[in-house]
Amino acid sequence: MAERLLCENTGDFAVLGTSMGGYVALKVMRQAPERITALALVSTSARADTDEQKAARARQSALVEAGQFTALIDAAFPGVVAAENESDETLLAIWRQMTTPVGADAFLRQQQAVVNRADLRYLLPAITCPTAIIHGAGDRLIPIAVAEESAAALTTASYTVIKDAGHFLFHEQPAAARAAIIAWLDLTV
């Protein structure tokens, strides 16, 4: 995915990656740091998956392979929103609209692509472009401690915690997320 991004885009560019996109953004940064003018890491981690996370991915993949993709979408929802948003039917509908078109095959390919990714924490202190770390205070998929770790390693990065939001922060708190992105973009000009 990182190689494709670099091949399909010429010249320098800014990269914003959220969740798995953050893993890809860090790989782009590792492969071509001279081309990245700004970096935003949203609801993501520079860490490799733990054994527990790998096992969870394997369980999810097994469900999908057994024809349970739709059931997995609904079962995953509480883990991607802050606890206070678990019963928000509007957010659940948005989640379903976003995830259903991905489909089982693409989901399985994405799981395979990230399950054995490298730990890229060593890369963080070397990043010199304007960088933002944005994370939901109630993110249960990637705990806030992981974002704090990245912020500590990237001492020049802006670090924004979005209250009342989990991993799905762009939809849980769109105004706060937009403000954080605008502040990051302002750094890039």
Side-chain angles (χ1 to χ4, degrees):
M1 287 181 264
E3 289 173 15
R4 191 173 79 219
L5 262 173
L6 288 164
C7 289
E8 292 177 358
N9 295 283
T10 59
D12 299 344
F13 55 95
V15 179
L16 182 150
T18 183
S19 193
M20 182 178 74
Y23 310 152
V24 175
L26 284 169
K27 268 208 107 156
V28 168
M29 178 61 75
R30 184 179 77 177
Q31 291 177 19
E34 71 285 354
R35 292 185 56 198
I36 307 307
T37 59
L39 175 68
L41 300 172
V42 183
S43 302
T44 195
S45 171
R47 291 174 167 260
D49 273 358
T50 64
D51 289 341
E52 181 181 313
Q53 289 167 316
K54 288 177 183 180
R57 288 187 195 281
R59 286 190 301 274
Q60 291 172 343
S61 294
L63 275 174
V64 172
E65 288 166 346
Q68 299 296 313
F69 181 66
T70 301
L72 176 65
I73 289 171
D74 284 353
F77 177 73
V80 297
V81 295
E84 60 267 27
N85 296 325
E86 281 184 29
S87 61
D88 188 317
E89 290 296 322
T90 301
L91 285 174
L92 176 58
I94 293 167
W95 173 249
R96 287 174 176 156
Q97 288 172 342
M98 288 178 60
T99 54
T100 300
V102 169
D105 292 338
F107 173 83
L108 292 170
R109 285 192 308 271
Q110 290 171 353
Q111 291 296 305
Q112 199 59 38
V114 301
V115 71
N116 291 315
R117 70 185 182 283
D119 189 318
L120 296 179
R121 287 178 288 173
Y122 74 90
L123 181 67
L124 298 176
I127 296 173
T128 59
C129 65
T131 303
I133 297 170
I134 304 166
H135 211 84
D139 192 331
R140 294 180 283 176
L141 193 60
I142 299 177
I144 195 160
V146 174
E148 291 167 351
E149 175 184 66
S150 294
L154 269 160
T155 57
T156 60
S158 66
Y159 176 46
T160 305
V161 176
I162 309 285
K163 293 181 181 175
D164 302 320
H167 199 70
F168 205 42
L169 66 88
F170 284 111
H171 298 282
E172 293 174 272
Q173 295 298 326
R178 185 173 44 255
I181 297 303
I182 289 168
W184 168 67
L185 290 171
D186 286 345
L187 293 173
T188 66
V189 261

